[in-house]
Amino acid sequence: MGPPGAGKGTQAKRLSEKYAMRHLSSGDILRAERAAGSALGRELARYMDAGALVPDETIVKVMVKALTGGSDGQGILLDGFPRTVPQAQALDAQLAQAGKPLDAVAVIDASRDEIVARITGRRSCPRCGRAYHVTFLRPRRDDLCDDCGQALTRRSDDTEAVVRQRLEAYDRQTEPVIAYYRRRPGLKVLDIDGSAAPDEVTRRLQRAFDALVHQG
Ligand code: AMP
């Protein structure tokens, strides 16, 4: 969890590869639906481009379908979901049914100035999803993915005005989810300072994850 631009997507991708987990990014799933041009995709676009959260009922349906779609026994790393308390409650019900409670919640945070600077310079590869930044995480060749050579793209909601709306939605709707998890006895909430360089944040997350694995 964490505000937009804190590094959730970049870090979730790296950690899911390292620990062979299935990475489920709600934002990526919604963007794929939009790209498919379905009626649902067009409805989603209205919310996403305004920096608002899509309705709980819609996202819960989409995420429950994604959650139940994988192979048994593989861990799941959720990125961007849940973002409201009703979503967290729906996830709890789903996980209880599967007999697989949450192991831990990682919260990555960064200052608001840092977030705006990061998001407005953010680029990604449309093929593999690898994340870049025009200043902080440059590709080897300008505007091209290091891995697939594809031209990098910018998200339509990564403008300063929309980022402000997304931060407002985070404070109002998502912060209470973190409080909800902090109150849960026995659930580990890992607080990670996301203002460091991406490799350093990865190291810190790995240390926290490894400690969890060793504790059983
Ligand atoms: P993200 O890529 O995680 O920043 O998500 C991009 C946009 O997708 C958000 O600004 C929301 O409009 C929508 N979205 C992603 N995840 C959720 C969620 N869990 N609940 C509601 N809307 C979401």
Side-chain angles (χ1 to χ4, degrees):
M1 303 195 63
K8 293 189 301 294
T10 303
Q11 298 299 336
K13 187 165 176 359
R14 292 179 180 191
L15 290 174
S16 60
E17 282 163 11
K18 156 103 182 138
Y19 295 95
M21 287 189 282
R22 200 147 66 90
H23 173 199
L24 284 187
S25 154
S26 54
D28 285 351
I29 292 171
L30 296 177
R31 280 184 287 279
E33 190 69 44
R34 278 182 71 164
S38 64
L40 172 63
R42 284 193 294 279
E43 189 198 326
L44 296 172
R46 283 195 293 131
Y47 295 99
M48 295 168 80
D49 288 343
L53 296 185
V54 309
D56 287 336
E57 203 191 324
T58 311
I59 187 77
V60 166
K61 232 184 271 168
V62 167
M63 293 307 289
V64 165
K65 187 166 161 219
L67 272 167
T68 49
S71 57
D72 261 4
Q74 193 184 21
I76 294 177
L77 185 57
L78 285 167
D79 158 17
F81 177 85
R83 260 172 152 105
T84 67
V85 171
Q87 290 179 23
Q89 289 165 337
L91 175 66
D92 283 341
Q94 186 65 29
L95 294 178
Q97 209 181 336
K100 291 176 182 164
L102 285 177
D103 293 306
V105 175
V107 180
I108 309 178
D109 211 347
S111 78
R112 294 301 145 110
D113 287 348
E114 175 86 28
I115 283 171
V116 173
R118 282 184 186 180
I119 291 192
T120 49
R122 188 152 83 165
R123 302 289 182 272
S124 70
C125 172
R127 183 177 293 165
C128 72
R130 185 164 167 182
Y132 296 90
H133 190 282
V134 294
T135 318
F136 310 133
L137 200 60
R138 297 174 60 84
R140 281 196 297 271
R141 283 178 300 158
D142 265 356
D143 298 323
L144 296 179
C145 178
D146 290 351
D147 294 333
C148 12
Q150 282 275 309
L152 302 180
T153 53
R154 182 183 189 190
R155 281 172 46 172
S156 56
D157 59 348
D158 274 353
T159 61
E160 185 162 351
V162 179
V163 169
R164 301 270 171 212
Q165 292 306 313
R166 288 162 61 199
L167 284 169
E168 204 264 328
Y170 180 79
D171 290 342
R172 199 162 45 83
Q173 295 169 279
T174 308
E175 280 279 6
V177 182
I178 298 172
Y180 171 86
Y181 285 138
R182 286 194 200 284
R183 285 196 297 271
R184 180 168 310 176
L187 178 62
K188 287 265 181 314
V189 179
L190 314 169
D191 286 291
I192 305 290
D193 178 4
S195 60
D199 288 350
E200 178 55 26
V201 177
T202 307
R203 270 192 291 276
R204 290 177 191 174
L205 275 162
Q206 269 185 28
R207 268 201 299 274
F209 271 41
D210 287 341
L212 269 182
V213 172
H214 289 130
Q215 281 164 20

